[in-house]
Amino acid sequence: AQRVTQPEKLLSVFKGAPVELKCNYSYSGSPELFWYVQYSRQRLQLLLRHISRESIKGFTADLNKGETSFHLKKPFAQEEDSAMYYCALSPPHGGSQGNLIFGKGTKLSVKP
Amino acid sequence: DTAVSQTPKYLVTQMGNDKSIKCEQNLGHDTMYWYKQDSKKFLKIMFSYNNKELIINETVPNRFSPKSPDKAHLNLHINSLELGDSAVYFCASSPNNVGSQHNSPLHFGNGTRLTVT
């Protein structure tokens, strides 16, 4: 079954501390993985995707096919990082276009 | 210059009523979607639609129906509203993947918070 698991409902860290939001997936094939972020009172927006291999706002995520994980990391959390983070999976190109399967989300709270 | 816009932002209505939520995108995208975010913040796709194909999530009750007057619009019509329909509904769009090696990310609207009393 296709599934995205984010084990932590809430993650609270202090400013300047490292942060890791966990994401594991279940999919028989090679999906595309994304992280979306929803800041307070704002729309859901793409943060990064595994094919880009880039750092956005200091966040990185590496796809580990062996562990079927796509954890989101940032070495030094900032207060403005506080938001809801969703890990999402999309079938590989040629499958159901854009039909993302979302995890249940992790609320990140960065305290001063 | 909002890319994906939804109206209304808030909708409060009584059980049994019929209501619609409108969505418009000015990105020239070919595919549009409706997602439902429940009280626990869980996001789940309801529909995806382009001018060729409507894909319905089988768990969506048939009281929900998408209506697309043109490529830039995908409205969500809900009949006989129930308490459990209370949620935030997000519209999204993406371009076609033709010619691309990868799926395109989605562009979301701000959401419509529906409260059924």
Side-chain angles (χ1 to χ4, degrees), chain B residues 23-32 49-51 68-74 93 96:
Chain B
C23 178
E24 177 183 4
Q25 54 94 7
N26 61 6
L27 296 166
H29 288 170
D30 298 286
T31 307
M32 297 182 72
Y49 182 80
N50 62 25
N51 58 2
S68 180
D70 55 57
K71 198 174 89 167
H73 297 82
L74 183 66
S93 71
N96 267 334

Side-chain angles (χ1 to χ4, degrees), chain A residues 61-102:
Chain A
D62 291 320
L63 180 62
N64 186 322
K65 293 184 179 180
E67 295 182 358
T68 58
S69 69
F70 189 55
H71 303 325
L72 183 68
K73 300 177 184 179
K74 184 169 182 176
F76 307 104
Q78 303 299 316
E79 289 181 68
E80 55 265 30
D81 296 328
S82 296
M84 195 76 182
Y85 290 81
Y86 291 92
C87 183
L89 171 158
S90 173
H93 179 59
S96 299
Q97 172 187 288
N99 288 355
L100 291 175
I101 299 168
F102 283 91

Side-chain angles (χ1 to χ4, degrees), chain B residues 11-31:
Chain B
L11 180 57
V12 181
T13 188
Q14 292 184 328
M15 286 175 56
N17 285 346
D18 301 339
K19 290 293 178 184
S20 292
I21 306 172
K22 295 184 177 181
C23 178
E24 177 183 4
Q25 54 94 7
N26 61 6
L27 296 166
H29 288 170
D30 298 286
T31 307

